[in-house]
Amino acid sequence: MSNSYNPHEEIMHIVDKAAQLLGLEERDYTQLKYPERELKVSVPVRMDDGSIKVFEGYRVQHSGVRGPYKGGIRYHQNVDMDEVKALAAAMTFKCAVVDIPYGGGKGGITVDATKLSKGELERLTRKYTTLLFPMVGPHIDIPAPDVNTNEEVMAWFMDTYSMVNGQLTLSVVTGKPIALGGSLGRREATGRGVLIATREIAKKVGLDLKDATVAVQGAGNVGGTTALLLHREGCRIIAISDVSGAIYNENGLDIEDVVRFLRAERGRLLKDYDAPGLVRISNEELLQLKVDILVPAALENAIHEKNASSIGARVIVEAANGPTTTAADEILQKKGVTIVPDILANAGGVVVSYFEWLQNLQSVKWEEEEINRKLENIMVKAFHDVWSMAEKHGTSLRMGAFMLALERIVAAIKLRGITF
Ligand code: NAD
């Protein structure tokens, strides 16, 4: 990994290339290179031992051209402004790829959430919410879960926002518990979207998912669900990892058992899981396995210039945001690896977040079957839109996805008359 890696610059480099291929002029899209708003907050928290710690928090609103800002909140020790800016921009393009009426935003707190008690996490979340209060709202900016945040964190966010706002405001945040305005199918939505994208790419490259070998990096909400759903589709999940390392079985892991173990208690890790025939390998070794499909579902920059040439997969489906650097992407393309890019592959989460928001605004509840059917329709259409764009211009699916999104965003910019 190079020290000069800057995730925001990486995305903007792709946007420039996409614009060039579309024949856009710089003036058509230059505003997208800058977030519309960046907020940095200091979040004081009373710790369990009575001390006060101050954490740094962020919320970036990248573009509101096509609708209210939308994007997750991440709790991680590596969160900084550049990362949040990149993730916010990615949301703008992702929402445009699946053509839902949102712009892009993202938030985060620089904190190792695994070291906080539940009480500390709750106080951190509630204080952060009050600091963000003037900038978020059901028609302004609607957060959601991301790394190390979950339904419970969203419930605290919604409750705090509602208290300050003086009225119950379910639609201010998505990814909430079902009992509190959450949507059926939201918990699995990102993984289900990854499954749909995998199915579509498998058809295109002539890969039978029955008994296809899969390695998944990351075993959280997205990685765990994706592994489960691919397994149920007939794939053989031969390796999965988390921050504590990877487990491997060439005959296929009992993935239902693995995920059940991880989800039984907060903070469970794969290093404490055991089963007959299981071999422990490192995260790097997992990435190098000779598999049909590799699903990076942890953090950005997992596949970089130094390890790209040793990737053993035929197809990569990017469940995480930004798992492949631009330099790695070029190496993989030369190797003939097919990549389904993040802004398409993991868009299922924001699509069902949109459904949750619609249900909250109308005070209705949709059936899970209806939600999954609507998600499938949107994902399949987006996949084929991206495929056609890439084919028409003889480019990668990543470039096709950015071109499709950019075309839609620039059309909105022009219609709104923002450029004058
Ligand atoms: P999560 O916190 O539920 O899980 C993250 C997983 O990654 C955990 O298993 C963790 O142990 C593992 N991990 C962390 N560092 C690692 C490392 N260095 N090597 C290997 N594994 C590591 O988070 P999540 O919600 O599943 O998000 C995962 C990715 O998917 C992120 O890039 C996120 O932005 C993206 N994403 C999430 C959603 C969503 O709905 N939650 C939607 C779209 C994209």
Side-chain angles (χ1 to χ4, degrees):
M1 175 175 37
S2 119
N3 286 337
S4 58
Y5 168 75
N6 178 314
H8 186 251
E9 282 171 17
E10 293 256 318
I11 288 207
M12 291 311 144
H13 178 72
I14 304 172
V15 173
D16 277 334
K17 254 185 132 172
Q20 233 175 36
L21 285 167
L22 285 169
L24 295 176
E25 286 178 43
E26 173 99 13
R27 66 189 297 278
D28 295 332
Y29 73 100
T30 190
Q31 68 192 69
L32 296 172
K33 292 188 170 179
Y34 307 88
E36 288 174 7
R37 280 190 204 89
E38 294 172 43
L39 177 71
K40 179 165 177 291
V41 294
S42 303
V43 194
V45 178
R46 182 173 39 78
M47 307 303 282
D48 290 346
D49 65 4
S51 65
I52 304 287
K53 265 198 186 162
V54 180
F55 297 90
E56 284 186 354
Y58 306 88
R59 185 77 191 168
V60 172
Q61 298 174 335
H62 173 257
S63 167
V65 169
R66 299 179 72 254
Y69 309 99
K70 185 88 189 86
I73 294 173
R74 175 176 294 193
Y75 289 174
H76 195 273
Q77 54 277 20
N78 294 347
V79 164
D80 61 18
M81 188 56 102
D82 272 332
E83 181 183 86
V84 180
K85 271 166 68 177
L87 291 166
M91 286 306 298
T92 302
F93 290 92
K94 191 183 300 181
C95 293
V97 165
V98 284
D99 207 8
I100 55 175
Y102 284 138
K106 200 81 182 191
I109 301 181
T110 315
V111 59
D112 183 351
T114 61
K115 301 235 159 70
L116 262 51
S117 71
K118 192 168 160 182
E120 289 167 342
L121 262 185
E122 177 173 353
R123 293 193 288 279
L124 176 74
T125 302
R126 288 188 182 277
K127 189 70 190 177
Y128 173 68
T129 309
T130 60
L131 291 163
L132 253 55
F133 183 84
M135 254 177 87
V136 294
H139 296 285
I140 304 170
D141 183 352
I142 309 126
D146 193 72
V147 174
N148 289 329
T149 57
N150 56 16
E151 292 178 2
E152 194 169 38
V153 173
M154 297 306 113
W156 294 327
F157 193 102
M158 191 283 291
D159 182 64
T160 310
Y161 182 92
S162 297
M163 283 195 290
V164 181
N165 196 29
Q167 54 180 282
L168 180 69
T169 315
L170 294 175
S171 49
V172 67
V173 70
T174 58
K176 299 181 293 295
I178 304 285
L180 205 58
S183 175
L184 294 168
R186 173 60 183 89
R187 199 178 295 165
E188 302 80 25
T190 308
R192 186 168 295 283
V194 176
L195 165 73
I196 298 165
T198 308
R199 240 194 243 145
E200 295 307 306
I201 195 67
K203 282 187 229 158
K204 289 286 187 191
V205 301
L207 177 68
D208 187 358
L209 285 189
K210 287 263 168 298
D211 222 32
T213 51
V214 180
V216 182
Q217 186 201 38
N221 174 304
V222 179
T225 307
T226 301
L228 272 182
L229 295 178
L230 285 173
H231 162 73
R232 290 174 193 163
E233 194 76 13
C235 295
R236 193 151 40 105
I237 314 297
I238 64 165
I240 189 163
S241 68
D242 66 13
V243 71
S244 73
I247 55 172
Y248 167 75
N249 183 336
E250 66 174 333
N251 299 316
L253 295 159
D254 180 352
I255 206 70
E256 305 269 355
D257 191 57
V258 174
V259 175
R260 202 177 312 118
F261 168 84
L262 289 175
R263 291 184 178 168
E265 241 174 73
R266 177 179 167 235
R268 281 234 176 137
L269 291 171
L270 284 171
K271 71 175 170 49
D272 300 315
Y273 176 80
D274 208 359
L278 177 152
V279 178
R280 292 192 191 279
I281 58 173
S282 67
N283 259 294
E284 274 305 314
E285 287 170 316
L286 177 143
L287 295 174
Q288 293 167 15
L289 289 173
K290 285 246 165 299
V291 282
D292 294 314
I293 303 161
L294 171 66
V295 181
L299 296 172
E300 51 269 33
N301 200 15
I303 305 170
H304 45 81
E305 199 173 357
K306 298 247 165 76
N307 64 6
S309 54
S310 45
I311 295 293
R314 184 173 159 200
V315 172
I316 297 177
V317 184
E318 293 184 338
N321 283 309
T324 314
T325 65
T326 307
D329 199 56
E330 282 164 16
I331 296 169
L332 290 165
Q333 275 188 58
K334 283 197 192 117
K335 263 172 74 101
V337 180
T338 304
I339 304 178
V340 186
D342 49 4
I343 59 168
L344 169 64
N346 71 30
V350 75
V351 169
V352 179
S353 272
Y354 168 55
F355 297 160
E356 179 174 333
W357 180 74
L358 287 177
Q359 291 171 80
N360 293 155
L361 289 174
Q362 300 167 46
S363 298
V364 294
K365 213 144 187 69
W366 299 354
E367 300 290 334
E368 188 162 2
E369 210 190 348
E370 183 184 356
I371 289 165
N372 288 344
R373 184 169 32 82
K374 286 189 153 98
L375 170 64
E376 170 110 21
N377 289 344
I378 290 183
M379 287 299 298
V380 170
K381 180 174 184 310
F383 182 92
H384 290 281
D385 287 350
V386 167
W387 184 272
S388 306
M389 181 64 96
E391 202 168 42
K392 185 170 151 196
H393 292 269
T395 183
S396 67
L397 291 176
R398 187 182 316 283
M399 199 47 72
F402 270 91
M403 289 168 75
L404 177 70
L406 191 59
E407 202 170 60
R408 289 176 176 161
I409 300 163
V410 167
I413 290 175
K414 286 186 174 165
L415 287 165
R416 286 183 63 165
I418 297 170
T419 40
F420 50 78

